[in-house]
Amino acid sequence: MLEQKILNIKNTALGEINKALSKEQVFSLRVKYLGRKSEFNNILKNIKSLSPDEKKKIGHLANTAKKEIENEFEKAEKLIKAKSFDHKAEKIDVTIPGKKMKQGHLHPITIVQNEIEDIFSGMGFEIADGPEVETEWYNFDALNIPADHPARDAWDTFWIKPETKNKERLALRPHTSPVQIRYMQKNKPPFRIIVPGKCFRREATDAAHEHTFYQFEALVVGEDINVGHFKYIGEQFFSKFFKKDIKVRLRPSYFPFTEPSFEFDISCTVCGGKKCKSCKGNGWLEIGGCGMVNQKVFEAAGYPKGKYQGFAWGFGLERLAMMKWKIDDIRLFESGDLRFINQF
Ligand code: PHE
C-alpha cells in the first residue's frame, strides 16, 4: 500500500514538474510535493512507527523517490532560467530610465567666492591674486609691521626654514594683504581690486578658528578716495550678497597698514538690527578689519608720499558662508566630510 502510494506521488510529481513553465510554478509544486504539509512529508514522518523491516524498505524507497523529485525540480529550474535568459537578452527595453551619473559640485567656499567675484566685477573691480607662500617682506615689513613690532603677534605664522642663511625667510601668508603691495608695484592708480585667496595661521582650532581659511582683500586707490566711498561699496556688496538691505557700521580699531583703522560691522542678516538670537541681542555682526591705506604702505609699494588715498579691507570667506547658510563650525569646510559637502 505505502509503496504504491509513494510511487504514485513520485510519478504525478515528475509529470507535473516537467510541464512547469515558470519559476513561480516550480515553487508551488515544490510546496505541494515536498512541503511540510505535503502527503509525502507525512509519509516520511510516519516511517518511524513502522516495523524495523518495513522501516528499512519504505525508508529506502522514500529517499530514492525524494531524490528523483529533487532532481526533476533542479532540471526544471535550470531550463526555465536558460529560457528566460535568452528571452531577456534578445530584448532591449528602451523605456527603462537611464542610470544617473554622479556629478561633482562646487565646494561652499567656491560658491561664495564666485558670488563675491560676480558682485565686484559688476562694480568694476578687477580680481587679483598672489602667492600663498610669501616672503617676510611682503607679509609684514612692507605692510608697516617691522620684525620687532608686537603687532606681528596678531598673525600666528607658519614660517618656512630658509634654504641658506642669507636667503629671505618665507611663510605661508597669514592674510591676503601682501597682495596689496604686489599689485601696487605693478599698477598705477586709480584702480579697484579684490583678492580672494587661501591663508594660513598657526591657530589652535575650534568652532570659530581654522589653520587654513579664505579671505578676500579689497583695495581701492585713487587721488580722492575717502571713507564715504568705502562705506557705500561695503553696503552695496553686502546687500547684494545677502539679498536684503544691509547697513554698515565702522568702529575704531588698529592695524599697522591702515590709518585710521576700523572694525567693520553689518546690520544683523536675520533681524536687520532689531536684535535677535543670531546677533546675540546686539543688532550688529562683526565682519573683519579695514581702514584707509597707511601712507607708509604706499611708500613701500613705490608710490610718492601723500599723492594717493585708498581703502582696504580683509574679510573671511568662511564667515560669510557661515552667515549665509547658518553653519556653526568653521572646521566643517576643510573636514572633507561628505555629509556636509553634499548639502551644497
Ligand atoms: N589683513 C588683516 C587681517 O587679516 C585685515 C585687514 C585688511 C585690515 C586690510 C585692514 C585692511 O587681520
Side-chain angles (χ1 to χ4, degrees), residues 140-237:
F140 295 115
D141 301 79
L143 292 167
N144 191 32
I145 323 171
D148 54 1
H149 198 287
R152 271 209 189 182
D153 298 345
W155 291 272
D156 299 302
T157 312
F158 286 116
W159 289 101
I160 293 168
K161 266 197 195 141
E163 282 167 53
T164 54
K165 262 208 169 149
N166 38 23
K167 264 219 169 149
E168 203 186 343
R169 270 210 299 179
L170 295 173
L172 300 183
R173 66 175 179 200
H175 52 180
T176 43
S177 299
V179 188
Q180 289 190 22
I181 307 290
R182 287 193 177 271
Y183 187 88
M184 288 196 281
Q185 284 177 326
K186 291 206 184 114
N187 296 276
K188 271 200 152 168
F191 62 77
R192 40 200 151 164
I193 59 168
I194 57 161
V195 187
K198 207 186 259 188
C199 306
F200 310 86
R201 284 189 201 176
R202 198 164 38 79
E203 296 264 17
T205 57
D206 61 31
H209 298 89
E210 179 58 286
H211 50 70
T212 303
F213 59 96
Y214 286 76
Q215 280 193 337
F216 80 105
E217 194 89 3
L219 178 65
V220 175
V221 181
E223 290 190 15
D224 52 2
I225 300 296
N226 60 51
V227 179
H229 294 122
F230 171 21
K231 235 183 134 175
Y232 177 76
I233 287 176
E235 256 165 25
Q236 289 299 306
F237 165 67

Side-chain angles (χ1 to χ4, degrees), residues 17-260:
I17 296 168
N18 232 321
K19 281 188 221 133
L21 291 173
S22 67
K23 254 171 37 183
E24 293 72 23
Q25 278 177 10
V26 173
F27 181 78
S28 58
L29 288 174
R30 202 184 268 282
V31 174
K32 182 171 168 192
Y33 289 107
L34 297 180
R36 234 168 1 106
K37 289 181 188 154
S38 63
E39 207 185 347
F40 194 74
N41 202 41
N42 215 14
I43 294 170
L44 287 179
K45 263 198 278 177
N46 289 329
I47 286 179
K48 56 177 183 290
S49 56
L50 299 173
S51 70
D53 264 3
E54 274 209 313
K55 216 190 248 178
K56 210 172 160 192
K57 209 168 75 190
I58 300 293
H60 180 72
L61 187 71
N63 273 334
T64 345
K66 192 176 173 188
K67 256 189 210 145
E68 270 180 73
I69 297 175
E70 286 280 13
N71 282 344
E72 203 61 27
F73 273 130
E74 255 174 54
K75 255 204 271 172
E77 268 162 4
K78 266 191 200 154
L79 213 74
I80 288 167
K81 208 171 164 192
K83 268 193 200 154
S84 69
F85 180 77
D86 279 342
H87 168 75
K88 268 199 185 140
E90 279 169 26
K91 205 164 125 188
I92 296 170
D93 184 350
V94 292
T95 66
I96 290 176
K99 272 194 190 150
K100 271 203 185 145
M101 290 242 266
K102 259 204 185 158
Q103 263 191 327
H105 57 88
L106 297 178
H107 188 279
I109 291 300
T110 314
I111 297 174
V112 164
Q113 182 177 333
N114 288 349
E115 247 175 70
I116 292 172
E117 290 182 4
D118 275 356
I119 296 172
F120 278 99
S121 301
M123 296 198 281
F125 280 63
E126 189 188 326
I127 295 153
D129 68 4
E132 288 170 4
V133 180
E134 185 55 284
T135 67
E136 180 167 13
W137 188 79
Y138 281 105
N139 270 328
F140 295 115
D141 301 79
L143 292 167
N144 191 32
I145 323 171
D148 54 1
H149 198 287
R152 271 209 189 182
D153 298 345
W155 291 272
D156 299 302
T157 312
F158 286 116
W159 289 101
I160 293 168
K161 266 197 195 141
E163 282 167 53
T164 54
K165 262 208 169 149
N166 38 23
K167 264 219 169 149
E168 203 186 343
R169 270 210 299 179
L170 295 173
L172 300 183
R173 66 175 179 200
H175 52 180
T176 43
S177 299
V179 188
Q180 289 190 22
I181 307 290
R182 287 193 177 271
Y183 187 88
M184 288 196 281
Q185 284 177 326
K186 291 206 184 114
N187 296 276
K188 271 200 152 168
F191 62 77
R192 40 200 151 164
I193 59 168
I194 57 161
V195 187
K198 207 186 259 188
C199 306
F200 310 86
R201 284 189 201 176
R202 198 164 38 79
E203 296 264 17
T205 57
D206 61 31
H209 298 89
E210 179 58 286
H211 50 70
T212 303
F213 59 96
Y214 286 76
Q215 280 193 337
F216 80 105
E217 194 89 3
L219 178 65
V220 175
V221 181
E223 290 190 15
D224 52 2
I225 300 296
N226 60 51
V227 179
H229 294 122
F230 171 21
K231 235 183 134 175
Y232 177 76
I233 287 176
E235 256 165 25
Q236 289 299 306
F237 165 67
F238 282 101
S239 300
K240 286 199 171 110
F241 184 78
F242 287 110
K243 300 189 174 70
K244 56 169 74 164
D245 277 343
I246 299 282
K247 283 191 280 303
V248 164
R249 177 175 82 170
L250 302 178
R251 283 179 291 125
S253 183
Y254 172 75
F255 295 100
F257 34 93
T258 45
E259 180 59 33

